[in-house]
Amino acid sequence: MTQLTGQPTTDDDIVHLTVPADGGYLGVLRTATAGLAARLQFALDEIEDLRIAVDEACAMLLAIAPRGAELDCRFAVTEDALTVEVTVPTVRDARLPAESSFAWKVLTALTTSASATATDGRATISLLTRRASGW
């Protein structure tokens, strides 16, 4: 399996969390994000940036999720990067914020890359962050 980073991964390098699509559960995802980034020896400011980016991505998705939905978060760990994909079912005719919006400017400023898709009643935001600091 090859992730967005272009590096091979194994099933051991994937963490999948599902939580209710409710802002009260975002702390679980922020904590998991910080823990995995720390495992990769990201610098403290890189960890905080990634936590903020995951929080912002989730907030974007919660705004278009139906009541009672679940938020799926998949973390892919490679040697020097962490990819986070957050997915949620959407309400009819849901739209993600435009890439020119403030929310997207935050995501792209805090990560190496960010992208989104919305098809077949589901929306996904993918974030890739490479470790800037050396070992």
PDB file of all heavy atoms in Angstrom, residues 1-17:
ATOM      1  N   MET A   1       0.845  -1.170   0.000  1.00  0.00           N
ATOM      2  CA  MET A   1       0.000   0.000   0.000  1.00  0.00           C
ATOM      3  C   MET A   1       0.892   1.236   0.000  1.00  0.00           C
ATOM      4  O   MET A   1       1.873   1.304   0.705  1.00  0.00           O
ATOM      5  CB  MET A   1      -0.868  -0.029   1.269  1.00  0.00           C
ATOM      6  CG  MET A   1      -1.760   1.164   1.407  1.00  0.00           C
ATOM      7  SD  MET A   1      -2.711   1.193   2.946  1.00  0.00           S
ATOM      8  CE  MET A   1      -3.616  -0.309   2.843  1.00  0.00           C
ATOM      9  N   THR A   2       0.536   2.227  -0.806  1.00  0.00           N
ATOM     10  CA  THR A   2       1.265   3.484  -0.845  1.00  0.00           C
ATOM     11  C   THR A   2       0.309   4.601  -0.482  1.00  0.00           C
ATOM     12  O   THR A   2      -0.791   4.675  -0.995  1.00  0.00           O
ATOM     13  CB  THR A   2       1.863   3.731  -2.241  1.00  0.00           C
ATOM     14  OG1 THR A   2       2.718   2.654  -2.566  1.00  0.00           O
ATOM     15  CG2 THR A   2       2.623   5.032  -2.276  1.00  0.00           C
ATOM     16  N   GLN A   3       0.723   5.460   0.425  1.00  0.00           N
ATOM     17  CA  GLN A   3      -0.109   6.564   0.876  1.00  0.00           C
ATOM     18  C   GLN A   3       0.164   7.813   0.060  1.00  0.00           C
ATOM     19  O   GLN A   3       0.976   7.809  -0.847  1.00  0.00           O
ATOM     20  CB  GLN A   3       0.159   6.837   2.365  1.00  0.00           C
ATOM     21  CG  GLN A   3      -0.216   5.671   3.255  1.00  0.00           C
ATOM     22  CD  GLN A   3      -1.651   5.255   3.069  1.00  0.00           C
ATOM     23  OE1 GLN A   3      -2.559   6.054   3.120  1.00  0.00           O
ATOM     24  NE2 GLN A   3      -1.863   3.973   2.826  1.00  0.00           N
ATOM     25  N   LEU A   4      -0.516   8.911   0.401  1.00  0.00           N
ATOM     26  CA  LEU A   4      -0.350  10.182  -0.297  1.00  0.00           C
ATOM     27  C   LEU A   4       1.091  10.660  -0.284  1.00  0.00           C
ATOM     28  O   LEU A   4       1.492  11.442  -1.122  1.00  0.00           O
ATOM     29  CB  LEU A   4      -1.233  11.257   0.341  1.00  0.00           C
ATOM     30  CG  LEU A   4      -2.735  11.018   0.260  1.00  0.00           C
ATOM     31  CD1 LEU A   4      -3.476  12.105   1.022  1.00  0.00           C
ATOM     32  CD2 LEU A   4      -3.200  10.951  -1.168  1.00  0.00           C
ATOM     33  N   THR A   5       1.866  10.185   0.660  1.00  0.00           N
ATOM     34  CA  THR A   5       3.253  10.616   0.764  1.00  0.00           C
ATOM     35  C   THR A   5       4.123   9.955  -0.286  1.00  0.00           C
ATOM     36  O   THR A   5       5.256  10.356  -0.493  1.00  0.00           O
ATOM     37  CB  THR A   5       3.831  10.258   2.146  1.00  0.00           C
ATOM     38  OG1 THR A   5       3.767   8.832   2.296  1.00  0.00           O
ATOM     39  CG2 THR A   5       3.073  10.939   3.250  1.00  0.00           C
ATOM     40  N   GLY A   6       3.605   8.913  -0.956  1.00  0.00           N
ATOM     41  CA  GLY A   6       4.390   8.179  -1.922  1.00  0.00           C
ATOM     42  C   GLY A   6       5.250   7.114  -1.279  1.00  0.00           C
ATOM     43  O   GLY A   6       5.972   6.400  -1.956  1.00  0.00           O
ATOM     44  N   GLN A   7       5.155   6.983   0.030  1.00  0.00           N
ATOM     45  CA  GLN A   7       5.944   5.991   0.744  1.00  0.00           C
ATOM     46  C   GLN A   7       5.082   4.783   1.085  1.00  0.00           C
ATOM     47  O   GLN A   7       3.901   4.932   1.398  1.00  0.00           O
ATOM     48  CB  GLN A   7       6.504   6.577   2.041  1.00  0.00           C
ATOM     49  CG  GLN A   7       7.456   7.720   1.805  1.00  0.00           C
ATOM     50  CD  GLN A   7       7.973   8.295   3.101  1.00  0.00           C
ATOM     51  OE1 GLN A   7       7.618   7.873   4.189  1.00  0.00           O
ATOM     52  NE2 GLN A   7       8.815   9.293   2.990  1.00  0.00           N
ATOM     53  N   PRO A   8       5.649   3.569   1.021  1.00  0.00           N
ATOM     54  CA  PRO A   8       4.869   2.391   1.363  1.00  0.00           C
ATOM     55  C   PRO A   8       4.529   2.367   2.854  1.00  0.00           C
ATOM     56  O   PRO A   8       5.281   2.871   3.679  1.00  0.00           O
ATOM     57  CB  PRO A   8       5.792   1.221   0.991  1.00  0.00           C
ATOM     58  CG  PRO A   8       7.174   1.796   0.996  1.00  0.00           C
ATOM     59  CD  PRO A   8       7.024   3.258   0.652  1.00  0.00           C
ATOM     60  N   THR A   9       3.394   1.814   3.160  1.00  0.00           N
ATOM     61  CA  THR A   9       2.996   1.624   4.551  1.00  0.00           C
ATOM     62  C   THR A   9       2.493   0.203   4.720  1.00  0.00           C
ATOM     63  O   THR A   9       2.248  -0.501   3.750  1.00  0.00           O
ATOM     64  CB  THR A   9       1.865   2.585   4.973  1.00  0.00           C
ATOM     65  OG1 THR A   9       0.710   2.275   4.190  1.00  0.00           O
ATOM     66  CG2 THR A   9       2.242   4.033   4.799  1.00  0.00           C
ATOM     67  N   THR A  10       2.350  -0.198   5.948  1.00  0.00           N
ATOM     68  CA  THR A  10       1.737  -1.480   6.251  1.00  0.00           C
ATOM     69  C   THR A  10       0.498  -1.210   7.078  1.00  0.00           C
ATOM     70  O   THR A  10       0.258  -0.085   7.501  1.00  0.00           O
ATOM     71  CB  THR A  10       2.701  -2.378   7.057  1.00  0.00           C
ATOM     72  OG1 THR A  10       2.905  -1.775   8.336  1.00  0.00           O
ATOM     73  CG2 THR A  10       4.037  -2.550   6.346  1.00  0.00           C
ATOM     74  N   ASP A  11      -0.293  -2.249   7.310  1.00  0.00           N
ATOM     75  CA  ASP A  11      -1.494  -2.065   8.121  1.00  0.00           C
ATOM     76  C   ASP A  11      -1.160  -1.569   9.519  1.00  0.00           C
ATOM     77  O   ASP A  11      -1.978  -0.928  10.163  1.00  0.00           O
ATOM     78  CB  ASP A  11      -2.298  -3.366   8.204  1.00  0.00           C
ATOM     79  CG  ASP A  11      -2.980  -3.685   6.881  1.00  0.00           C
ATOM     80  OD1 ASP A  11      -3.163  -2.754   6.062  1.00  0.00           O
ATOM     81  OD2 ASP A  11      -3.329  -4.846   6.662  1.00  0.00           O
ATOM     82  N   ASP A  12       0.042  -1.851  10.008  1.00  0.00           N
ATOM     83  CA  ASP A  12       0.451  -1.387  11.330  1.00  0.00           C
ATOM     84  C   ASP A  12       0.641   0.127  11.364  1.00  0.00           C
ATOM     85  O   ASP A  12       0.680   0.724  12.423  1.00  0.00           O
ATOM     86  CB  ASP A  12       1.766  -2.052  11.758  1.00  0.00           C
ATOM     87  CG  ASP A  12       1.594  -3.537  12.013  1.00  0.00           C
ATOM     88  OD1 ASP A  12       0.441  -3.982  12.194  1.00  0.00           O
ATOM     89  OD2 ASP A  12       2.603  -4.248  12.014  1.00  0.00           O
ATOM     90  N   ASP A  13       0.759   0.742  10.198  1.00  0.00           N
ATOM     91  CA  ASP A  13       0.995   2.170  10.106  1.00  0.00           C
ATOM     92  C   ASP A  13      -0.293   2.968   9.962  1.00  0.00           C
ATOM     93  O   ASP A  13      -0.255   4.165   9.722  1.00  0.00           O
ATOM     94  CB  ASP A  13       1.900   2.484   8.911  1.00  0.00           C
ATOM     95  CG  ASP A  13       3.265   1.850   9.039  1.00  0.00           C
ATOM     96  OD1 ASP A  13       3.814   1.846  10.147  1.00  0.00           O
ATOM     97  OD2 ASP A  13       3.771   1.361   8.023  1.00  0.00           O
ATOM     98  N   ILE A  14      -1.433   2.305  10.081  1.00  0.00           N
ATOM     99  CA  ILE A  14      -2.733   2.941   9.914  1.00  0.00           C
ATOM    100  C   ILE A  14      -3.490   2.916  11.240  1.00  0.00           C
ATOM    101  O   ILE A  14      -3.573   1.887  11.893  1.00  0.00           O
ATOM    102  CB  ILE A  14      -3.589   2.208   8.853  1.00  0.00           C
ATOM    103  CG1 ILE A  14      -2.848   2.108   7.519  1.00  0.00           C
ATOM    104  CG2 ILE A  14      -4.956   2.867   8.703  1.00  0.00           C
ATOM    105  CD1 ILE A  14      -2.580   3.419   6.846  1.00  0.00           C
ATOM    106  N   VAL A  15      -4.012   4.067  11.632  1.00  0.00           N
ATOM    107  CA  VAL A  15      -4.870   4.162  12.821  1.00  0.00           C
ATOM    108  C   VAL A  15      -6.202   4.706  12.343  1.00  0.00           C
ATOM    109  O   VAL A  15      -6.246   5.717  11.647  1.00  0.00           O
ATOM    110  CB  VAL A  15      -4.259   5.100  13.889  1.00  0.00           C
ATOM    111  CG1 VAL A  15      -5.220   5.275  15.069  1.00  0.00           C
ATOM    112  CG2 VAL A  15      -2.914   4.576  14.359  1.00  0.00           C
ATOM    113  N   HIS A  16      -7.277   4.014  12.672  1.00  0.00           N
ATOM    114  CA  HIS A  16      -8.611   4.419  12.231  1.00  0.00           C
ATOM    115  C   HIS A  16      -9.489   4.634  13.464  1.00  0.00           C
ATOM    116  O   HIS A  16      -9.657   3.727  14.262  1.00  0.00           O
ATOM    117  CB  HIS A  16      -9.197   3.339  11.335  1.00  0.00           C
ATOM    118  CG  HIS A  16     -10.477   3.733  10.695  1.00  0.00           C
ATOM    119  ND1 HIS A  16     -11.203   2.867   9.930  1.00  0.00           N
ATOM    120  CD2 HIS A  16     -11.187   4.878  10.693  1.00  0.00           C
ATOM    121  CE1 HIS A  16     -12.284   3.471   9.492  1.00  0.00           C
ATOM    122  NE2 HIS A  16     -12.286   4.686   9.959  1.00  0.00           N
ATOM    123  N   LEU A  17     -10.011   5.846  13.603  1.00  0.00           N
ATOM    124  CA  LEU A  17     -10.897   6.177  14.716  1.00  0.00           C
ATOM    125  C   LEU A  17     -12.241   6.647  14.167  1.00  0.00           C
ATOM    126  O   LEU A  17     -12.283   7.400  13.196  1.00  0.00           O
ATOM    127  CB  LEU A  17     -10.312   7.297  15.573  1.00  0.00           C
ATOM    128  CG  LEU A  17      -9.025   7.005  16.319  1.00  0.00           C
ATOM    129  CD1 LEU A  17      -8.507   8.274  16.985  1.00  0.00           C
ATOM    130  CD2 LEU A  17      -9.261   5.937  17.360  1.00  0.00           C
TER     131      LEU A  17
END
